[in-house]
Amino acid sequence: MIFLTRAFLSVIRNFRKSCIFFFLVLILASVISTTIFINQAVTDTWLHLQRNLPPIATVKLDIEAWERFNDETGMIHDINLRTDLIHKIAALPYVKEFDYFSSGIFYNPHLIPYKDSAVNKNTSLDVAFLEKFWLVQGVQNPNLLDIQEERIELVYGRTFTVTEMNHLSMVILISETVAHLNYLTIGSTVQLRNIVFDNMDGENRIFAEESYTMEVIGIFRPVSGEKNGENLQVLENRIYAPNHFVELAQIFQNEQQQNLNESGDMMNIQGANLSLENRFVLYDSQQFLPFKVAVEEKIPPQFRVVDIENAFVDVYSALMTMDGMTNIILWVTVGISILFLSLLITLFLRDRRREIGIYFTLGEKKHRITIQICAEVIIIAILAIITALFVGFFISSILSEHILRSNILVEQSIHSFHELPFYGLSFHGSVIFMFLGVGVGTILLASIIPVMYVLGLNPKKIMM
Amino acid sequence: MSLLRVEHVVYYFQDGVKQRYILKDISCVFERGTFYTILGASGSGKTTLLSLISALDTPTSGKIYYEEKNLMELGLENYRRNHVGIVFQQYNLIPYMTPFENILVAMGITDNKLPMSKQEVAYNLLDYIGITKDKAKRTINKLSGGEQQRVAIARALSTNVDVILADEPTGNLNEEMTEEIVEIFKNLAHKHNKCVIVVTHSNTIAKKSDIIYRLNDGYINQE
């Protein structure tokens, strides 16, 4: 009977002890596997985020810096980066693509908007009046960054062409819901009125007006992650048009506002160009720093350059918190496992002193006795570790969701990128390999003290 | 050439500052085909001498030779594995195994060549010492004391060794069982040419042996 057969017989015949050892290893290995699964998921998530984040930078208004700058100069400075500056930045060698979005508000009392009852119930605004105004989002990139960022998807028609972008084209994209509510299809036309109101006597009187007939060339649908409350309502009622059109409409607004002001009426409704966002796609995310330095030389002090990863900083810190917690739990559990298992194996071996003495008396080689003991431990431990792999996967899926949900920072951030789409526990090879490595390594370390105990036994004292 | 030779063996242990001598100067020889008993009162050093002959311990001074080879040079582990079989008063069988498996364990450890397959040797030995096939498949704790001691003897024989050492092998057995076990030892020596050395305090057993060594006050005398 070879020593490995002895090990197998010992495991089978000492069933009660084998079960105790199995369950202890199972519990400890489950904790280890849980932490490894969470750890790996956190690492994967962050790597996935980094891989999937395009090297995008934006130039944003820093409100505090703006207020400070205004106070220092006694002037009110621009809150939007001028388009000529955007083009100058876009000309930098680091920039692969760029886009900026000007937006304007246009009047159409006949177009029926999408209404979210929950959102409108909580507002005290004159909804009936506001519903007649439509937010037109100007875009510079013909492929629409909102489609590329998967906020919306094109369901019918097409996006803009370069020609439409560079020339004044009366073309728009509307949402599927708005199209449905207003019986609009590809090729339908929509009237958009660019109005400057004069409300000198408390009534909204039209001071100046331009009307545009816009052709629907594309119909989009918000993606599932955006289907919540206010966000959805804004997206559904959004109209996309080329920047060029929105800018010209703004020029008309500004000119007429000036005329209105010169006529002495300071009370008027502000029109187009509420905000101007920009996006610069760099060739490489490593170029962010030199890009930032180059841009900051060109822009006024109220603006700052931020990279897109800043949008995920809360998620990153939450993920790192989870990573840190699981790391601590992992190594503490490994330590406790080594201690407890060492103790348990030694106690079980104490009960088997006579058996070990028999092997010594029969002249068994010490290394074979050592291998037999390790084999017995490994046979049970492997079964427990494999079971723990599944138990740990199950626990980690519950725990990680609980941890993520309980973290306020992440609660806020999750909405910003569609319920953490990349976070996922997986059974891939590296996780299994790592867990088996840590598990078997822990068991072998825990066997050192018991093996030393066995090797230190004196057969004469045991047997005689 | 003697099979086993003990030459001026001294054994003591340190008790504080004092050295407590168990064996003062032991010299004796053991041959094949002979049934030896080492007789002595409790505390006379019988078991210590047996532990030295069985290489479970080493003498403080003096030498033990097996076929004129010093045990230290032969290797204690190697000597136990291939040249000596030991039977204890407490049987010392592996409790969760069957008699058959206990014998297979010993045969799995030795380097000695066996005349037949391990299974055949095991069943033949068990049959020789009166353990049926049915009993050979029961676990050890389901056998009587006498049966367990028979299994222990079968295990000692299974490795095809020349020297069988027994430490008070009948200490836990009744008179009838004692008779049977002693008969087995005699047969092993006389029919199978083994060197059987039994340590006992029983004069009855000693009388049935071929040569009696008496241990007294750390010295040995042949009677």
Side-chain angles (χ1 to χ4, degrees), chain A residues 410-426:
Chain A
V410 178
E411 284 246 351
Q412 290 167 349
S413 311
I414 279 171
H415 297 301
S416 69
F417 65 117
H418 321 314
E419 303 286 334
L420 220 64
F422 310 126
Y423 187 86
L425 301 158
S426 59

Side-chain angles (χ1 to χ4, degrees), chain A residues 145-164:
Chain A
L145 230 57
D146 276 350
I147 292 178
Q148 289 174 31
E149 289 182 338
E150 296 179 353
R151 286 169 66 79
I152 59 166
E153 57 183 342
L154 188 71
V155 285
Y156 300 111
R158 59 175 177 85
T159 56
F160 306 108
T161 62
V162 177
T163 315
E164 285 166 347

